[in-house]
Amino acid sequence: KEGEGKERQQQPLLVSSIGLSSVLMDMDSLLAKDDFQEELTAFLNASDVGLFGIMAVEFRDGKPHRELLLTGSDVSVVDSFADYLLHHADAAFLEMSERKECIGEEDGIGEDD
């Protein structure tokens, strides 16, 4: 079928386990916490989770603005889930957008070592 290959490429890679956490703070405040990256890495290593998401919330003009951070030990898995959430028709109702600026990137979070 025409277009089937493209649709298949947008499906996320399979993982054996997914973890999800929700925090009642904005993403910048979470990323700016002392030792956040080290503690997150230690948690991921101890829990053996293939993909981990952290949902954060910030209230602007009384309305919630939600953000999702995806992380894991395999960058290709994280990238495939991010691509799926951002571009796949089945996830379009979520109205996801990629955040271009991130306080954590300034501190080295999310960059390859």
Side-chain angles (χ1 to χ4, degrees):
K1 294 179 184 176
E2 190 173 317
E4 187 175 321
K6 184 178 181 184
E7 187 73 19
R8 275 188 206 274
Q9 291 175 349
Q10 291 183 350
Q11 295 295 325
L13 297 175
L14 296 177
V15 292
S16 60
S17 61
I18 296 175
L20 191 59
S21 179
S22 179
V23 296
L24 296 175
M25 64 183 351
D26 65 273
M27 191 62 72
D28 285 335
S29 295
L30 178 65
L31 295 173
K33 287 178 103 24
D34 290 341
D35 301 322
F36 173 75
Q37 184 178 6
E38 293 80 9
E39 290 180 20
L40 179 59
T41 300
F43 171 78
L44 291 172
N45 291 336
S47 63
D48 195 31
V49 174
L51 180 72
F52 188 71
I54 300 173
M55 297 182 299
V57 65
E58 175 181 14
F59 288 90
R60 297 181 192 157
D61 299 322
K63 295 182 181 178
H65 175 79
R66 295 176 180 90
E67 292 185 290
L68 174 66
L69 178 135
L70 294 176
T71 188
S73 58
D74 186 340
V75 173
S76 62
V77 169
V78 175
D79 286 347
S80 74
F81 272 84
D83 187 63
Y84 177 82
L85 292 170
L86 290 167
H87 304 294
H88 197 278
D90 289 345
F93 74 96
L94 295 170
E95 299 179 0
M96 292 280 199
S97 62
E98 186 172 13
R99 183 173 166 180
K100 299 300 179 188
E101 78 290 344
C102 182
I103 193 170
E105 290 175 354
E106 295 168 4
D107 298 329
I109 297 174
E111 296 179 0
D112 294 331
D113 292 325

